[in-house]
Amino acid sequence: AAADRRARQRGAPRLVRALASPAGSPGPSEAAPANGLPVAYTPGHPAFQAYERRGSVRCSAGPAASPEGWAAARNWPDGTVHGLCVVLRSRGRALGVVTFLRAPARRPFDRADADYAEEVAARIAAALDLAGAASL
């Protein structure tokens, strides 16, 4: 999973990496530098779609797609075939997006997964919002 927060700038949203769990194995999230790491998502990326829609976006590599090419086109780790992007909202503001990823051995994300992810996203958003308020 990865949490990307909106960079403080005017105009089109720019996302920077705030937290990321290690790829390949479960473990604690690793915090990015204080300013975050810019993520090179292209327009139309599921994370931007979730941010703009203020809701969840599920996506999967189709049976005809190459999993490596599909994941690489989205700047996700190799082997990713399912993604779920959920907007981080706190106090009526969109703060960024959290992305959950799955490998081919796992089933695609369903509505129950999206509901749970939205609960997790609300907690992450509250923590990021409080951290931002403490730094002011």
Side-chain angles (χ1 to χ4, degrees):
D4 303 322
R5 62 177 172 78
R6 183 172 198 251
R8 295 182 185 192
Q9 71 176 31
R10 300 198 190 281
R14 189 174 130 249
L15 299 173
V16 295
R17 182 71 27 96
L19 300 166
S21 62
S25 64
S29 295
E30 300 169 1
N35 292 339
L37 298 171
V39 287
Y41 294 149
T42 58
H45 189 280
F48 283 134
Q49 290 178 14
Y51 186 86
E52 290 167 359
R53 295 177 187 175
R54 304 293 196 257
S56 301
V57 173
R58 292 179 278 166
C59 57
S60 292
S66 160
E68 293 78 25
W70 186 83
R74 287 155 185 79
N75 291 327
W76 288 340
D78 289 338
T80 300
V81 295
H82 308 294
L84 171 61
C85 297
V86 182
V87 69
L88 297 168
R89 288 187 303 253
S90 179
R91 297 187 291 162
R93 297 177 300 140
L95 304 177
V97 177
V98 64
T99 301
F100 301 93
L101 304 172
R102 287 186 173 164
R106 304 278 314 271
R107 63 179 172 71
F109 291 100
D110 59 18
R111 184 67 228 162
D113 295 321
D115 289 341
Y116 181 69
E118 288 169 4
E119 289 181 32
V120 171
R123 294 170 192 243
I124 294 169
L128 288 174
D129 197 14
L130 287 172
S135 67
L136 295 177

